[in-house]
Amino acid sequence: MHSPVGIRDVAERAGVSPGTVSNVLNRPEKVSAATRAKVEEAVRELGFVRHGSASTLRAGHSKTIGLSVIDIGNPFFTDVTAGVEEVASELGYAVILSNSAGSRTKEERNLLVLAEQRVRGVLITPSDEDPTRLDRLRDRGIRVVLVDHPAHRADQCSVAVNDIVGGTTAVSHLLSGGAESIAYVTGPLTIRQCIDRRVGAERALGGAPLRVIEMAAMTPRAGQQAAAKMIAEGDLPDAIFCANDLLALGMLRGLTHAGVRVPDDVALIGYDDIDFAAASAVSLSSIRQPTHQLGRVATELLLDECDHPDTHAHQQIMFQPELVIRESTR
Amino acid sequence: MHSPVGIRDVAERAGVSPGTVSNVLNRPEKVSAATRAKVEEAVRELGFVRHGSASTLRAGHSKTIGLSVIDIGNPFFTDVTAGVEEVASELGYAVILSNSAGSRTKEERNLLVLAEQRVRGVLITPSDEDPTRLDRLRDRGIRVVLVDHPAHRADQCSVAVNDIVGGTTAVSHLLSGGAESIAYVTGPLTIRQCIDRRVGAERALGGAPLRVIEMAAMTPRAGQQAAAKMIAEGDLPDAIFCANDLLALGMLRGLTHAGVRVPDDVALIGYDDIDFAAASAVSLSSIRQPTHQLGRVATELLLDECDHPDTHAHQQIMFQPELVIRESTR
DNA sequence: CCACAACTTTGAAACGTTTTTCTAAGTCAG
DNA sequence: CTGACTTAGAAAAACGTTTCAAAGTTGTGG
């Protein structure tokens, strides 16, 4: 283990002052081509790597951002994360990942760790509507961009997808396929996304009744239970709209097992268009959200806000979801 | 935005010296209960948050670790990541996530960023066998633990799952179900995991021939293509072993579409036991790897190495995979 | 009542950068 | 050739912690 090489070692080797090395590193245009070359040479020879903490301490800002998601196991968030990592990495930022796992205390603890690390900004899918923790971050000078959650304030960036439109699109599609009775299988109706998708569904029905089946979780298992319940109760609708693909996949499995044919007996549509939607035995129609894009754009907004605070204009971006038709609604 | 409150503000408020505040923060047992209480009170009143960079700079080590994975979109790595995040968060460490996306240059760039951040250690699933970049990290005093890759050296921790045993288990299970001809559908045979699983499969066959179908990717799409190819060629085996569940799901779909019944006509088994294996129309038998555990243990090893370097004993841990029987091989 | 040990607390230096101020050396017009 | 102006680089002062030797405090036994 060779002793750590610092900016002064580089300076000595190149025959310049430490300040000049710093300039080469941070504002190369301020330095003449000749000395720049000398310094770069020295950096290479000595294998110098800048000490991020020292840099952060003195400069007052770091090259890291925080990402706080609700469930890292959900393909939706995984895709978002991939998009975030991509952009951050391109711009030389490191991403600190934290998973609130739906727990508010864990989220709070994670945000504290992020504050200690003096991250430049935070991308967060908040686990509830309470804005005080985020305000506290902002007070500390940490920028915040909301992900998959529209901002309520104009001085705040956010990136989301219109879930009401998504609900409407899904149900309209089912109606246009000839369905007359429709059921909505959803997760907890405390979750904004579930509520909005329901509102959209009802809007499409224009007053006709929507049978709502609320499950505690949004997993394949829950979907299968919902299927069992509907079959036991004996009256299947013409079509089923599930609030996410995990539910829909479980539902598909439950129906198929009971001898119900999809889409002949019952049409089925999910939400999110995760990779596995296309891969199931009867491929699943779904509402696609630009997840990867969501992560990319959120990160671009955040880093723009950090790097160009004067020209930055806050934006609340709302993407539109997209209908993907597959076998389950043909 | 209130002006940043530092350790000296806290000291002043509590009527002690900055050194004492630092002691309360880092070695509470060195401080009398009375002053500790005073200091903690002051911390709370002022909303003090320690400046991680300053701390890292002075103390010489940080409270962050790096995690470098090959494909953040693959549920296998997602599960590992969740385990890592869990343990790190419990112990107050932040996790910097980087995704090499299979590209060696990207991996290299990411490792540089991690080195700049002076992470305490790195968890990495290396994208190839070349050990020089890892040696370079170790030279810098950054501990390295290999994930899903057995270490070749004794002074190095690693956590992996025995893929040879997994291959043997899968094929033995197929044989015990009465299969006589078996095909192995795999990703590129440059990938260690694919090779090992094949070796295990051949071991189970004890000399009997194994038909190997090598695909360029390990995705549902590739699995479906493999199915189409086998059906076109006209001779289906009794059973198929796929090198991961994504391939197997695609295979299942391809077979079902061609009217081949699983498991009646062909038995099918995958690998990884991702969540969706249980959720498909014909639930998929698979080889389960303790993915979450993999992440947890790797992190525990790394942090033990960091926090107790004198008592730490390097370990190469090899987990055993587990057979999960579902409908596709009944 | 003193010497000594055990325990607390202090104060200043140091960690490796960035930033700001300042000097020296060019450059150019008159 | 001078003086104003520009530019490149040097020197030193921060940034907010931790550390460590030293000083201070308390308690104990003789």
Side-chain angles (χ1 to χ4, degrees), chain B residues 189-265:
Chain B
L189 283 171
T190 51
I191 297 181
R192 187 194 55 74
Q193 284 83 346
C194 292
I195 299 170
D196 283 5
R197 287 167 199 175
R198 176 192 186 168
V199 170
E202 284 169 338
R203 195 167 291 176
L205 284 166
L210 176 70
R211 183 163 159 213
V212 175
I213 295 150
E214 181 177 357
M215 307 302 291
M218 298 179 76
T219 58
R221 178 180 303 271
Q224 198 168 349
Q225 288 165 349
K229 188 175 155 199
M230 293 173 82
I231 288 164
E233 291 176 0
D235 70 317
L236 282 176
D238 297 339
I240 301 174
F241 168 34
C242 290
N244 81 0
D245 284 346
L246 303 180
L247 281 169
L249 287 172
M251 174 63 69
L252 176 61
R253 179 153 195 263
L255 293 175
T256 309
H257 266 238
V260 178
R261 290 167 306 160
V262 175
D264 309 271
D265 298 331

Side-chain angles (χ1 to χ4, degrees), chain B residues 117-177:
Chain B
Q117 297 299 325
R118 292 299 194 271
V119 293
R120 199 76 188 275
V122 169
L123 296 166
I124 183 171
T125 304
S127 63
D128 62 33
E129 300 286 328
D130 181 6
T132 59
R133 348 186 255 310
L134 301 183
D135 289 343
R136 219 156 44 207
L137 278 186
R138 234 172 282 118
D139 285 347
R140 289 227 158 71
I142 299 177
R143 328 271 171 164
V144 176
V145 171
L146 264 35
V147 177
D148 198 34
H149 199 286
H152 299 311
R153 339 176 351 172
D155 64 340
Q156 157 91 74
C157 282
S158 71
V159 179
V161 187
N162 195 323
D163 286 299
I164 297 184
V165 168
T168 303
T169 305
V171 170
S172 298
H173 172 59
L174 294 177
L175 289 173
S176 77

Side-chain angles (χ1 to χ4, degrees), chain A residues 15-17 19-20 30-32 35 57-58:
Chain A
V16 298
S17 81
T20 302
K30 292 278 170 198
V31 170
S32 75
T35 41
L57 174 58
R58 176 61 241 234

Side-chain angles (χ1 to χ4, degrees), chain A residues 98 237 240 286:
Chain A
S98 51
I240 302 174
S286 193

